[in-house]
Amino acid sequence: MSDHRQKALEYIQGHKIQSLEKMKEIISIPSVSTDPERAGDIKKAAEWLKRELISLGMTRVEIYPTPRHPIVYAENLSAGKDKPTALIYGHYDVQPEDPIEEWNSDPFTPTQVGEDLFARGATDMKGQIIATFSAIEAIQNTGELPVNVKFLIEGEEEIGGSHLEGFIKDHKEMLACDFFLNPDTGMQAPDLPTITYALRGIAYFELRVQGPKQDMHSGTFGGAIHNPAQVMADLLSGLHDDKGRVTLKGFYDKVLPLSKQEREELSKLPIDEEFYLEQGGVKALWGEEGYSALERTGARPTLEINGLYSGFIGEGQKTVLPAYAMAKVSCRLVPNQDPVEVYEQFTEYLEENAPETVTWELTQMSKEFPSISDRNSKWVQAYVEAAKSAWGKAPIFKREGGSVPVVVHVQHELGVDSVNIGFGLPSDNMHGPNEKIHLPTFYKGIEALVHFFFNLTQ
Ligand code: BES
Ligand code: MN
């Protein structure tokens, strides 16, 4: 092991508290991107990052405004032209904290319980941003950077319609790199380092079904006027057949089938039905017939109802025939599906199945393509070796059911592939109440990143 690597590893061991404190600082800023009232906090988070990146020795640090939330860019190219350049991704925005009453501590007051730090954004993904900062800091403070480093940190990942794609198109030269490091995925378990080689795309919709011009008495008018909540329920229940397949016409036409070899590989991963049963605390699993739960969540497309609203949902009773019903519906997509085609398929379904008694409106919010990343690049290999050094075992390769849209955009616009890693765990309650990060895994992650950056030039 090189002397520099050894010193950097010692540095992170001696600076765990500093890393933890940094993470707590950024987590305490409630940068909820979807909430217009938090625009000030979003700005604060971007400015916090700018300050940190400057003190991290980045030679150029800029905040680029967008029509919504700013993008933070930084670079240190001191390693020189003959060394590889890593473009490191992050998003400093977080999901809303609701339902607030289900949190055991304040979502924006980082609270340590045992080995976990609880707070919104801890695992998704401020902790991971700090892990990359801590690794770079350790390397810089003990010697010279072995690679050129660029940071691209957005504030719109958790909402549809991020401006990052346009930004990448407009700044190709500035963002030029040899590969993209995306620390926004996770690990399967604390002792299972993981490389994610596929992420699903997403088509997100809001469906509104309009009935009478206003809420009406359900006794006087029920039976004569079609209830839009009932229409909505009928429409939604028709979106799956009894084999758990999505019924939209053409939905599966472009789906790339799993090869026999990949199915075999996936079946060997230590991710069984028991894992899903336990994570969800459910009695039984559900999904598309003929596929394992892991295949259904990673390699097959799905359709989910994300939210439903109609009529009276307060305490007690109210005999009302609601004026409208609303549902949020999203499809997770796999190669080679196209999110705009899914919009057309959904529209066709509604045209064919919505009764004449109502009117409806379908709006598309997200339209993001799925991605598959090269598993054999030297950048991935550098992480395989890094994981072996940090955890003592080779990482598993898995597909992820969630989406990180930027991965496709850098593939298309910059022509580079992504190393998708991260230190969040399935039990970290991502997007839910009591989000947390497992601190021993976070520290191991910093160690893995230090190895990774050194491995890149070897
Ligand atoms: N970090 C997640 C993606 C993810 C989820 C990675 C689970 C690994 C495991 C990311 O921040 C996220 O939640 N993305 C959204 C994107 C959407 C709003 C376009 C998602 O997947 O819902
Ligand atoms: Mn994330």
Side-chain angles (χ1 to χ4, degrees), residues 91 124 157-158 184:
H91 66 81
D124 190 9
E157 198 272 348
E158 301 288 5
D184 194 26

Side-chain angles (χ1 to χ4, degrees), residues 153-174:
I153 311 180
E154 66 164 320
E156 302 180 317
E157 198 272 348
E158 301 288 5
I159 43 176
S162 161
H163 292 93
L164 191 60
E165 183 183 5
F167 182 81
I168 294 172
K169 274 191 186 145
D170 293 345
H171 296 84
K172 285 190 191 175
E173 215 165 295
M174 180 176 90

Side-chain angles (χ1 to χ4, degrees), residues 89 91 93 123-125 157-158 183-185 403-404 430-431:
Y89 171 72
H91 66 81
D93 64 324
T123 197
D124 190 9
M125 65 166 295
E157 198 272 348
E158 301 288 5
D184 194 26
T185 58
S403 310
V404 184
M430 203 186 271
H431 294 198

Side-chain angles (χ1 to χ4, degrees), residues 172-190:
K172 285 190 191 175
E173 215 165 295
M174 180 176 90
L175 300 173
C177 58
D178 291 289
F179 74 96
F180 191 62
L181 178 65
N182 165 27
D184 194 26
T185 58
M187 307 211 332
Q188 194 56 31

Side-chain angles (χ1 to χ4, degrees), residues 5 34 49 77 265 294 303 329 364 377 388 430 442 448:
R5 184 187 296 233
T34 194
L49 288 170
L77 309 179
E265 275 172 28
L294 180 64
L303 181 149
V329 176
Q364 179 159 25
S377 69
K388 284 189 200 162
M430 203 186 271
F442 164 72

Side-chain angles (χ1 to χ4, degrees), residues 441-454:
T441 302
F442 164 72
Y443 297 131
K444 273 271 181 235
I446 302 174
E447 197 181 319
L449 285 170
V450 166
H451 282 291
F452 175 68
F453 288 119
F454 281 110

